[in-house]
Amino acid sequence: MSKIIIGRYIPGNSIIYKMDPRGKIIAAFFFIALIFLANNWITYSLITLFTFAAVFATKLKIKTFWQGVRPLIWLILFTSVLQLFFTTGGKVYWHWGILNISHYGIENSIYIFIRFVMIILMSTVLTLTTTPLEISEGMEWILTPLKYLKVPIGQIALVMSIALRFVPTLMDETVKIMNAQRARGADFNDGGLVKRAKAIIPILVPLFINSLTIAIDLAVAMESRGYREGEKRSRYRVLKWSQYDWINFAFFALLTVLLLIFRNH
Amino acid sequence: MTKQIIEVENLSYKYKDATDLALKNISFKVQENQWLSIIGHNGSGKSTLSRLLNGLLVPEENPDTKIVIDGLELNSENLWKIRDKIGIVFQNPDNQFVGTNVQDDVAFGLENRNVPRSEMIKRVDAALSAVGMQSYKNAEPQMLSGGQKQRVAIAGIIAIEPKIIILDESTSMLDPEGRNSILKLIRKLQQQKGMTVISITHNIEETLHSDDILVLDSGKKVAQGKPEKIFSNMEMIKKAGLGLPFIYELKQELSKNGVEIPSDVSTEEKMVEYLCQLNSKM
Ligand SMILES: Nc1ncnc2c1ncn2[C@@H]1O[C@H](COP(=O)(O)OP(=O)(O)OP(=O)(O)O)[C@@H](O)[C@H]1O
Ligand SMILES: [Mg+2]
């Protein structure tokens, strides 16, 4: 149980793993903006090719990416189908009442489909290759300007890292409590939804109390080790840019240029 | 000449929502580089006392109360200087692990003190090798055993180079082997770095090797002295709800049977030697 992977990170060592989380997060956001530059077959193909290149560069199994898309596939299909039937314009191939299938409708629904899937794939590339802690540290750096608005970024980041650190501990705690309840005859696997939901409560209450105990102990230990709220602290963990990040940015620059050229064709 | 590193006078403490005092008018002194054991039954005030020493708890205002650590009086002005001098290792190794991995955790105290990164790297490495955990630098807490986590906690303390290390039942969750290796490690640090050790423990055998023992009973100090002196006062030990170490138990049984053992026979080895001599004389 303690081997549980937090978030969706899967350890690996391809080039994308070596990139700085800050660069990866910025690139992922930039990618979402870029997608809206695409407006024809060529540009959408470029986006698709680029995304697949990124997916292959992770050297992870394609199946894991499918697992990222699968939960949303119905929503995506539903949206695409709506586009298909309600968009008008161009040659009309079929129509019935307010529904029709037109040339634009077909095109738009495919574009929407591609857009959704590519955004999901790209963010999956980010979350599979970056630990939650790295993402939190990357976000901290990106949000640094908020310091000038008196947002306590450093404290928020510390809270995040401690929360992430305690996820496995609380998982273990949950297992312990569940086993203790099982030993007293609780059954978590049988019965209807209501019965199972009820069985959760005796787990949640002790879990909540235990996490409070942990929080109090931790606060005492932190203070005893010299933690002072709001005081300037130095940093042991630092993020470092590497040549891989420049490669990353270069590819994105190239994609941007290509999109700008071909969108007017 | 040894220097006095801790001086406590007339210290009382009451928790906010409690009716009784948790500590009643405690005074004691500790010499530098000594090993002081604090013993007492559950709820006798041991943890409370240790938390008062570094200002985690603050006693009520009282002109007679005084806590002096390494020449500095504990007050809001000196609080952080005093926290640099005292490191506490708590009982539960999980709930004091702040960092996401071993080296981050050891660095936590240094980050709090705004130590430059280059200096931190050196001190984290040194502290980890002092506790024999350098090969676990990148390990996450859930991959470590209780004893290993406790070593990391100790590394986090020695990285800030305190003069005093307080162990609040730090070894109670460990198996005998884990406990012995941690105690050996602390003893080594005490000798090499001249640290003062305060060890709070329910393991009475552990206290035999200390220089000084402080006995608490329901918030009161009932005795302080060398192990020989403390454990020869049977009545006091019993009243404080404590047991005797095996060797003193043995002495007592022997004396009941008319074999008096001199008081300087205070360890198992000495006892074996003495009994063998006795045997050969008979
Ligand atoms: N946070 C608190 N609030 C109220 N009372 C407390 C609190 N912590 C401890 N006490 C009380 O203070 C007294 C001393 O507690 P303390 O934890 O110092 O004992 P201890 O000697 O460390 O015991 P143990 O051997 O069980 O660790 C006890 O009576 C306890 O109930
Ligand atoms: Mg205690």
Side-chain angles (χ1 to χ4, degrees), chain A residues 20 29 49 55 65 67 81 89 97 134-135 160 170 237 248:
Chain A
D20 189 289
F29 281 120
L49 275 179
V55 165
F65 288 92
Q67 282 164 356
V81 168
E134 284 175 331
I135 293 185
M160 281 296 293
L170 290 181
R237 296 178 67 89
N248 186 16

Side-chain angles (χ1 to χ4, degrees), chain B residues 7-269:
Chain B
E7 188 184 354
V8 171
E9 270 175 34
N10 306 316
L11 177 62
S12 296
Y13 187 79
K14 185 170 154 313
Y15 283 99
K16 241 196 238 111
D17 37 3
T19 44
D20 284 344
L21 288 172
L23 284 183
K24 294 165 198 155
N25 214 24
I26 304 261
S27 304
F28 69 98
K29 290 176 182 149
V30 185
Q31 306 299 319
E32 189 163 35
N33 202 11
Q34 295 245 297
W35 184 297
L36 171 77
S37 293
I38 303 184
I39 54 176
H41 59 77
N42 286 125
S44 56
K46 307 180 295 293
S47 300
T48 308
L49 179 59
S50 72
R51 279 156 206 217
L52 282 159
L53 290 182
N54 79 341
L56 289 171
L57 298 174
V58 182
E60 251 172 73
E61 204 71 49
N62 180 346
D64 297 334
T65 299
K66 205 165 78 171
I67 300 175
V68 182
I69 308 290
D70 195 24
L72 285 179
E73 181 147 359
L74 178 60
N75 51 32
S76 52
E77 201 181 309
N78 288 334
L79 178 63
W80 299 100
K81 279 190 207 142
I82 283 177
R83 287 209 181 143
D84 286 348
K85 292 178 187 290
I86 301 183
I88 305 186
V89 183
F90 296 94
Q91 177 175 19
N92 189 325
D94 252 312
N95 303 359
Q96 54 187 316
F97 205 112
V98 186
T100 31
N101 63 30
V102 167
Q103 48 178 335
D104 288 353
D105 187 65
V106 175
F108 180 74
L110 299 170
E111 291 179 321
N112 291 337
R113 289 162 176 82
N114 208 8
V115 174
R117 184 158 185 275
S118 51
E119 169 82 13
M120 266 199 272
I121 293 171
K122 272 186 240 149
R123 279 162 77 169
V124 168
D125 277 343
L128 279 176
S129 54
V131 301
M133 288 290 290
Q134 61 275 61
S135 52
Y136 292 89
K137 251 177 120 166
N138 292 309
E140 289 166 20
Q142 66 270 22
M143 308 193 294
L144 301 175
S145 73
Q148 289 172 326
K149 271 181 260 195
Q150 224 40 316
R151 280 171 183 266
V152 175
I154 292 167
I157 299 300
I158 56 184
I160 57 170
E161 296 167 358
K163 294 202 155 177
I164 303 162
I165 185 162
I166 301 182
L167 309 170
D168 189 350
E169 296 182 40
S170 313
T171 56
S172 64
M173 288 203 168
L174 308 184
D175 58 21
E177 200 184 324
R179 168 182 314 164
N180 285 337
S181 81
I182 295 267
L183 289 174
K184 230 188 239 159
L185 168 67
I186 299 280
R187 188 150 284 128
K188 201 177 89 193
L189 291 170
Q190 178 206 12
Q191 281 154 7
Q192 287 176 353
K193 311 212 171 186
M195 288 202 300
T196 309
V197 179
I198 298 183
S199 166
I200 296 172
T201 178
H202 284 292
N203 183 341
I204 214 83
E205 302 294 333
E206 233 176 83
T207 63
L208 279 178
H209 297 281
S210 41
D211 303 304
D212 209 7
I213 298 180
L214 179 70
V215 187
L216 291 182
D217 180 13
S218 312
K220 280 188 291 239
K221 168 180 160 181
V222 290
Q224 183 179 9
K226 292 198 179 313
E228 299 92 274
K229 186 183 139 209
I230 296 291
F231 294 122
S232 48
N233 190 346
M234 262 299 296
E235 208 175 321
M236 179 273 293
I237 287 292
K238 235 190 217 149
K239 246 188 91 208
L242 299 167
L244 279 180
F246 170 71
I247 171 113
Y248 288 90
E249 198 92 60
L250 186 63
K251 267 192 196 179
Q252 212 199 331
E253 292 299 320
L254 286 171
S255 115
K256 266 189 211 159
N257 287 298
V259 186
E260 288 298 336
I261 311 283
S263 66
D264 62 317
V265 180
S266 58
T267 61
E268 254 168 69
E269 297 87 64

Side-chain angles (χ1 to χ4, degrees), chain A residues 31 34-35 37-54 111 114 118 122 251-265:
Chain A
F31 180 76
L34 271 188
I35 268 198
L37 276 184
N39 61 354
N40 56 30
W41 287 110
I42 304 177
T43 40
Y44 272 105
S45 308
L46 279 173
I47 291 274
T48 310
L49 275 179
F50 188 82
T51 311
F52 281 143
Y111 288 166
I114 294 177
M118 295 311 132
M122 214 36 138
F251 272 116
F252 269 92
L254 183 66
L255 177 67
T256 315
V257 171
L258 288 176
L259 288 178
L260 287 173
I261 293 173
F262 287 106
R263 74 188 306 257
N264 295 321
H265 266 258

